Amino acid sequence: MAIEPGRTAGELDAGSGPEPTVRLSAVPRQTVRSANRGAEYVGQGPPTYDAEPTAWPPAAPGALDDLVPDTVVDGARYGVLTLRALSLRGDSARYRGEPRRDALLTARFGDGDDALLLVAVASGGRAAEGSHRAARDVCAWLADAVGRSHPRLVEDIRRGRRGELRSGLHRLTDRSYGRLRGRAADLGLRPAEYTAAVRCLLLPADARCRTRVFFGVGTGGLFRLREGVWQDLDPVPREADGNVDPIVGRGSGPADRITVDLGVATPGTARVIDPALVPSEPFRFRASVARPGDVLLLCSAGLADPMRGEPALGDRLAERWTGQRPPGLAAFLADGQLRVKGYADDRTACAVWEA
């Protein structure tokens, strides 16, 4: 299953040209339930590691709030939306007794048709100690800013103000990364040692509004299942046309009207970090219009990579989710645990079914 990239970042894609499409692969599907592993896998052979957790990370007295559970599952239903979310420790981390580096945050701000749903998925750096804390921090700081500004965000989404949304969310994300840089300095770490990739969905609860907003920085995936066909909607960073949208953590976002009231220090008053020490990352944004029957999948690299690299995984999920009622939490967890040899990282994902 080869997945073609989506259109230009930020494009409202309803009625604006042909959709990027992927036909389900003709490769024979292999889905195996191994008696000694207790979990299904797809592909040409069983994964190297055992399917179940082996070792817990070490605990320290006085720092027990730093412990991370192996698995988190969540779900909700609002209007035409049904959400299922999970975060799983990878097979490699389970075997080595390392903490789950991925973080998942789900939140509802407001009530009724004015409510805004937020899903944030973050992945800490593989080689950085304490990167699971950075993932949780960036999710929490983004959620806090979104929550304080949700009435304005809901209005901008309803009215299709793509430019305002992009600039405001870019600035919000930039400031959150600035806080990560500041926290790294407090801990005596280089900025690259305390950072995380983050991807977010904003979903209005109002059934009359079908606009879905994605934004984030770093690796991961955004896919849509439409009529049995997977589409890769991951936005192409605007650096392709010479307009780089970097995230450097120093208030570098666009100077357009700002949608989001950040409530944090203005540029020039926060800690100054040498730009040479800050790895620049492109900001990604996309606003798209959903159709009934769509399934939108936001995920960390731990699931996005096998989705792009192993045809049988996408085929199997399409088979389970096309034309079906949304799975319950246990069934969704089983879907998220479909294993693929060679992919042993944490997996964090949120799937959204459109009625």
Side-chain angles (χ1 to χ4, degrees):
M1 181 189 67
I3 303 181
E4 299 178 2
R7 290 191 299 278
T8 303
E11 179 179 344
L12 280 171
D13 62 3
S16 56
E19 295 286 358
T21 58
V22 181
R23 297 300 170 189
L24 296 181
S25 171
V27 176
R29 209 178 275 117
Q30 293 190 21
T31 303
V32 181
R33 183 178 297 278
S34 173
N36 63 342
R37 290 183 182 267
E40 290 179 281
Y41 66 86
V42 295
Q44 303 304 313
T48 302
Y49 297 100
D50 191 82
E52 301 299 330
T54 302
W56 284 338
L64 298 181
D65 58 351
D66 195 43
L67 297 178
V68 183
D70 177 271
T71 302
V72 174
V73 183
D74 201 359
R77 184 173 62 190
Y78 290 95
V80 298
L81 301 175
T82 300
L83 295 89
R84 298 288 181 261
L86 60 80
S87 187
L88 304 169
R89 188 161 55 133
D91 291 344
S92 176
R94 285 173 165 178
Y95 178 77
R96 292 179 169 83
E98 297 171 350
R100 174 167 51 87
R101 296 187 307 272
D102 277 9
L104 169 68
L105 186 148
T106 56
R108 171 179 62 87
F109 302 107
D111 298 300
D113 287 345
D114 294 326
L116 181 65
L117 311 179
L118 167 70
V119 179
V121 169
S123 298
R126 179 177 299 178
E129 183 178 354
S131 61
H132 61 289
R133 303 185 194 99
R136 285 188 292 176
D137 282 346
V138 74
C139 284
W141 292 333
L142 283 168
D144 181 68
V146 167
R148 285 185 279 105
S149 301
H150 82 269
R152 183 61 171 272
L153 285 167
V154 169
E155 183 65 16
D156 283 349
I157 294 173
R158 281 174 173 160
R159 295 185 178 276
R161 295 170 179 157
R162 184 186 61 82
E164 287 86 346
L165 285 165
R166 182 188 179 93
S167 62
L169 293 171
H170 187 178
R171 189 174 179 88
L172 178 158
T173 306
D174 183 74
R175 292 297 186 82
S176 296
Y177 272 81
R179 294 184 68 177
L180 278 182
R181 271 59 170 179
R183 179 65 59 84
D186 291 340
L187 297 173
L189 301 173
R190 292 182 295 110
E193 294 176 324
Y194 198 81
T195 191
V198 65
R199 289 173 167 248
C200 302
L201 277 178
L202 295 179
L203 308 165
D206 187 349
R208 297 166 296 181
C209 181
R210 289 279 189 174
T211 301
R212 313 297 178 230
V213 175
F214 160 84
F215 67 98
V217 173
T219 59
L222 178 68
F223 304 93
R224 180 169 60 201
L225 181 61
R226 177 172 284 177
E227 298 179 354
V229 176
W230 282 110
Q231 304 165 350
D232 192 339
L233 303 184
D234 205 38
V236 178
R238 295 205 316 189
E239 57 189 340
D241 60 8
N243 268 326
V244 181
D245 282 344
I247 293 291
V248 299
R250 295 184 64 204
S252 63
D256 306 305
R257 180 178 70 81
I258 301 304
T259 301
V260 182
D261 177 15
L262 297 167
V264 297
T266 57
T269 64
R271 182 193 314 273
V272 175
I273 300 173
D274 186 345
L277 300 177
V278 182
S280 178
E281 292 280 357
F283 176 71
R284 298 173 186 264
F285 174 91
R286 185 183 183 101
S288 60
V289 178
R291 299 179 188 171
D294 284 353
V295 182
L296 191 62
L297 177 64
L298 176 77
C299 54
S300 66
L303 182 58
D305 289 349
M307 280 287 291
R308 295 181 175 119
E310 174 50 66
L313 178 60
D315 289 353
R316 185 58 173 160
L317 292 178
E319 178 184 280
R320 292 185 177 186
W321 294 352
T322 299
Q324 307 293 326
R325 296 183 60 182
L329 293 183
F332 183 69
L333 176 59
D335 294 343
Q337 288 177 315
L338 278 170
R339 306 170 72 232
V340 183
K341 186 177 180 63
Y343 299 95
D345 286 340
D346 296 350
R347 286 186 180 183
T348 303
C350 177
V352 183
W353 277 259
E354 301 276 353

